[in-house]
Amino acid sequence: MAQGSEPVYEALLDGWRLVALSEVDSTNEEVRRRAAVDPAEGLAVMAAVQTAGRGRRGRTWVSPPGNLYLSVRLNQGRTLAETAQLSFVVAVALADALAEAAPHVAVRFKWPNDLLIGGAKVSGILLETDRAAVIVGIGVNVAWAPDATTATYPATSLKGEGADLDPRDLARGILRHLKSCVEQWRARGFAVFRAAWLERAQGLGQGVVARLQSGEEVHGIFVDLDADGALVVDGADAGRRRILAGDVFFAAS
Ligand code: BTN
């Protein structure tokens, strides 16, 4: 449940709205609860702290003060394919927002939708379905990053990269870019976002290891992102594999 001091409401463009809380279990969960009475697209919740933040694949997203925890509900996600595409659209929107807020940091993508700076993770995205909608959860390491002993992947923060940002300002920027990217995607389709993602993809043409949910590891060269958002790995003799879910690690150069 939402706790602490009174929520702050802010009206954004075209009916999108942002609720800022001091503490909540998970902003994704808070959006789900609020959507029961406020179902129109563009309901966004941010919190200063999450007590039960969650990451992809059932992981915990450690959520101390100083970072950004933001979720927004979109009337989208009728099919799995649509949701898969949306995850890349969100990643591109987030990278655009970071490029605007901190022009000196060079952001790259790690499949499917992590954002990296200098090879270390600065942001993660979690999409969850909610009836006929999708809740997009975004965590950005604004001021703090988990250390190597707790993170599954090396992590950094914007502050550590020399960008001192206010989480609320960043949330506004992300929502503005997200709204515009989602509109573009609806009007023009996925191809433009696939291209934008590939342009900034980490490790394209290089060796990767994809660790699947089953525990299987797929080794090969990262050659493409296909039209469904699958990672295409060329395993030479083992042939090409389309990876639909898993964690990616880059071979040491
Ligand atoms: C990942 O594992 O990389 C995805 C992390 C997503 C974390 C964000 S923080 C805001 C929203 N609320 C949550 O509980 N999770 C997402």
Side-chain angles (χ1 to χ4, degrees):
M1 282 291 289
Q3 292 160 11
S5 56
E6 285 299 296
V8 176
Y9 293 85
E10 189 176 338
L12 306 172
L13 209 59
D14 294 337
W16 281 40
R17 54 231 179 268
L18 176 62
V19 181
L21 304 169
S22 51
E23 185 177 303
V24 76
D25 48 2
S26 154
T27 53
N28 272 28
E29 210 44 52
E30 183 66 14
V31 164
R32 194 183 301 274
R33 286 188 289 264
R34 285 173 182 257
V37 290
D38 185 5
E41 177 154 286
L43 168 65
V45 170
M46 66 176 286
V49 170
Q50 292 186 125
T51 54
R54 41 191 194 240
R56 285 176 58 238
R57 308 184 76 192
R59 296 188 188 109
T60 297
W61 188 260
V62 181
S63 307
N67 286 350
L68 175 62
Y69 314 108
L70 172 70
S71 301
V72 57
R73 192 166 179 274
L74 299 174
N75 292 343
Q76 205 68 55
R78 286 179 295 276
T79 63
L80 271 178
E82 197 179 77
T83 307
Q85 288 185 7
L86 182 61
S87 94
F88 297 93
V89 174
V90 175
V92 169
L94 185 50
D96 288 349
L98 290 182
E100 183 181 85
H104 73 278
V105 301
V107 170
R108 300 195 79 79
F109 300 120
K110 181 169 88 71
W111 188 88
N113 52 20
D114 287 345
L115 269 65
L116 308 179
I117 299 175
K121 179 162 170 170
V122 71
S123 175
I125 295 167
L126 173 70
L127 265 61
E128 295 179 330
T129 52
D130 177 30
R131 288 155 282 181
V134 171
I135 298 171
V136 174
I138 295 170
V140 183
N141 298 338
V142 173
W144 173 89
D147 66 28
T149 52
T150 50
T152 47
Y153 199 82
T156 188
S157 68
L158 291 168
K159 193 170 184 179
E161 302 294 333
D164 213 347
L165 301 182
D166 172 58
R168 179 96 62 96
D169 289 342
L170 184 59
R172 291 188 192 103
I174 291 170
L175 292 169
R176 182 164 39 79
H177 281 277
L178 181 60
K179 185 173 179 302
S180 147
C181 285
V182 166
E183 281 165 7
Q184 253 198 79
W185 171 55
R186 285 172 179 159
R188 299 172 56 195
F190 182 54
V192 60
F193 290 96
R194 175 177 166 271
W197 189 91
L198 277 169
E199 219 168 83
R200 283 178 274 180
Q202 177 94 5
L204 186 62
Q206 295 171 15
V208 289
V209 179
R211 196 167 295 153
L212 312 188
Q213 197 109 44
S214 62
E216 184 194 352
E217 286 191 350
V218 177
H219 295 250
I221 305 293
F222 162 29
V223 289
D224 203 2
L225 175 76
D226 79 6
D228 301 321
L231 179 84
V232 185
V233 175
D234 190 344
D237 292 350
R240 286 196 170 197
R241 290 273 301 266
R242 291 176 69 247
I243 312 292
L244 289 162
D247 288 316
V248 164
F249 299 87
F250 301 103
S253 49

